[in-house]
Amino acid sequence: MLKKVNLYHDDIALLQYTGGTTGKSKAAVLTHKNILSNIQQLDIWVKPHISKGKEIIITALPLYHIFSFTVNFLYFYSIGSNNVLIANPRDLKSFVKELTKHKFTVITAVNTLFNLLLTSSKFRKIDFSPLKFSVGGGMAVLSSTAKRWKKITGTEITQGYGLTETSPIVSINPINTKFNGSIGLPVPSTDISIRDDTGNQLGYEEPGELCVKGPQVMSEYWNKKHDSLSSFTKDGFFKTGDIASIDKNGFLTIVDRKKDMIISSGFNVYPNEIEEYVSQHPYVTECGVIGIDDSNRGESIHLFIVRSSDTLREIDIIEFCKEGLTIYKVPKKVHFINEIPKNNVGKILRRKLRELKY
């Protein structure tokens, strides 16, 4: 005999595991309220740009990733969209062939996936006239990527920001505004606080840890009482672990992961800034930066590069960095490797870089 089960907003909907790019993966407890709130927050943002029952969205990220799960699947499914699932986006030939079959109106991806598509000559021949907007998340979108994407597809990459623990959306730029590296404005009913290491709130343009409060924020980590308590401020804000700043118009910019920050000769150095700059070199396909213990400097900056030409030398990169970076941000060592280690979604696994022999 079937028994009706009553569900409430605070009941657990799912245990969503974090990516584990900087440490061990943890299960974020997401309730029905968390997920439904985030869907409504997204709907307010994109409603003026979509037509219910008429959208075709390309889903190249795995559905077990919170970005793809909430945005591509739950939200676009709820408005009657045709969702095209790309089972293996690393198979570029098959991926592009599938894209040619559909007059897709929306595509979501991470920076590495946008970059991969841009390497295909057949991709550049696709008719992009039906494409309304492209959304980048999961990791920082590089300005060099966004510029090339705009040139080829005619759409700006609309960058947003979120976490497993926030269902995931925290902020997003207005659709199709010119790419500027910002992660946008907080979605409705979301409070933002930028704080220093002692918990004091910082002012405009002052980088500090991004803290978030809203209906989309998880209740706790599953069976991780200590981690749960230490992840929230005394006044209930979730500490994201990301260093960010906010301008006077309310736009947020991520500087880097707090755990990834390098302290070299007493200066704070953020890997994202170096990666953003180095990726503009014409012979750099992709790159990653980590800090290595150094008895003299505290940490020294090591840069890992996948190059498109064997003629590119370490001295070339060092000189290139000296032209556009402050001297203490210039890498002390450059390593050329065949592939930057990444997780299934495309995020750089810095812990794997640290395991490489150098």
Side-chain angles (χ1 to χ4, degrees), residues 90-125:
R90 294 182 181 182
D91 181 353
L92 183 59
K93 184 178 179 180
S94 298
F95 186 2
V96 174
K97 184 178 180 180
E98 190 65 28
L99 290 178
T100 62
K101 299 177 183 178
H102 307 276
K103 295 182 178 180
F104 57 95
T105 59
V106 182
I107 183 170
T108 63
V110 294
N111 185 79
T112 49
L113 192 54
F114 285 126
N115 262 336
L116 179 65
L117 287 171
L118 290 169
T119 63
S120 169
S121 58
K122 291 186 177 180
F123 174 78
R124 295 193 290 268
K125 296 177 182 178

Side-chain angles (χ1 to χ4, degrees), residues 27 34 41 58 89 121 134 139 150-152 169 185 190 217 230 244 270 289 299 305 343 347 358:
N34 294 150
Q41 289 166 322
I58 301 299
S121 58
S134 307
M139 63 185 298
K150 168 70 173 178
K151 183 178 180 180
I152 298 300
I169 308 167
L185 299 162
T190 302
V217 178
S230 63
Y270 298 100
V289 170
E299 289 181 288
I305 288 177
N343 66 9
K347 287 185 181 181
Y358 42 77

Side-chain angles (χ1 to χ4, degrees), residues 45 49 132-134 146 150 155-159 172-185 251:
W45 212 263
H49 305 276
K132 294 182 177 180
F133 58 92
S134 307
K150 168 70 173 178
T155 66
E156 299 282 354
I157 296 178
T158 300
Q159 183 167 225
I172 191 169
N173 277 280
I175 301 297
N176 274 332
T177 53
K178 185 174 177 59
F179 184 87
N180 59 7
S182 165
I183 56 169
L185 299 162
F251 282 82

Side-chain angles (χ1 to χ4, degrees), residues 14-237:
L14 65 148
L15 301 180
Q16 184 70 28
Y17 280 81
T18 60
T21 55
T22 58
K24 290 185 178 180
S25 182
K26 298 187 289 289
V29 176
L30 299 180
T31 64
H32 290 276
K33 175 185 175 181
N34 294 150
I35 299 296
L36 292 173
S37 296
N38 214 217
I39 289 172
Q40 290 178 322
Q41 289 166 322
L42 177 59
D43 185 58
I44 292 170
W45 212 263
V46 302
K47 185 180 291 184
H49 305 276
I50 54 95
S51 300
K52 291 188 176 182
K54 296 182 180 180
E55 304 303 332
I56 300 175
I57 184 168
I58 301 299
T59 299
L61 300 178
L63 288 176
Y64 58 73
H65 187 269
I66 191 65
F67 177 17
S68 185
F69 176 73
T70 299
V71 177
N72 293 59
F73 176 54
L74 292 182
Y75 175 69
F76 276 92
Y77 182 80
S78 73
I79 63 169
S81 304
N82 180 1
N83 211 314
V84 181
L85 180 63
I86 307 298
N88 182 15
R90 294 182 181 182
D91 181 353
L92 183 59
K93 184 178 179 180
S94 298
F95 186 2
V96 174
K97 184 178 180 180
E98 190 65 28
L99 290 178
T100 62
K101 299 177 183 178
H102 307 276
K103 295 182 178 180
F104 57 95
T105 59
V106 182
I107 183 170
T108 63
V110 294
N111 185 79
T112 49
L113 192 54
F114 285 126
N115 262 336
L116 179 65
L117 287 171
L118 290 169
T119 63
S120 169
S121 58
K122 291 186 177 180
F123 174 78
R124 295 193 290 268
K125 296 177 182 178
I126 291 175
D127 176 15
F128 293 104
S129 58
L131 183 60
K132 294 182 177 180
F133 58 92
S134 307
V135 180
M139 63 185 298
V141 176
L142 300 180
S143 58
S144 55
T145 303
K147 185 177 181 179
R148 288 186 291 131
W149 185 265
K150 168 70 173 178
K151 183 178 180 180
I152 298 300
T153 70
T155 66
E156 299 282 354
I157 296 178
T158 300
Q159 183 167 225
Y161 168 82
L163 300 153
T164 302
E165 295 90 341
T166 57
S167 303
I169 308 167
V170 170
S171 65
I172 191 169
N173 277 280
I175 301 297
N176 274 332
T177 53
K178 185 174 177 59
F179 184 87
N180 59 7
S182 165
I183 56 169
L185 299 162
V187 292
S189 301
T190 302
D191 294 328
I192 295 297
S193 180
I194 307 294
R195 304 195 179 188
D196 63 19
D197 289 339
T198 58
N200 296 314
Q201 184 156 300
L202 300 173
Y204 296 121
E205 309 295 351
E206 292 186 277
E209 183 168 12
L210 174 59
C211 301
V212 182
K213 183 189 287 186
Q216 74 273 44
V217 178
M218 71 167 191
S219 56
E220 62 181 330
Y221 289 116
W222 183 254
N223 288 336
K224 297 281 186 180
K225 186 175 181 180
H226 174 74
D227 288 338
S228 299
L229 290 173
S230 63
S231 294
F232 286 87
T233 63
K234 292 181 179 179
D235 54 347
F237 280 81

Side-chain angles (χ1 to χ4, degrees), residues 22-24 26 241-243 256-262 299 350 354:
T22 58
K24 290 185 178 180
K26 298 187 289 289
D242 285 317
I243 303 297
D256 216 323
R257 287 290 298 172
K258 190 174 182 179
K259 290 182 180 179
D260 292 335
M261 185 179 72
I262 301 166
E299 289 181 288
R350 299 191 198 279
R354 293 186 180 95

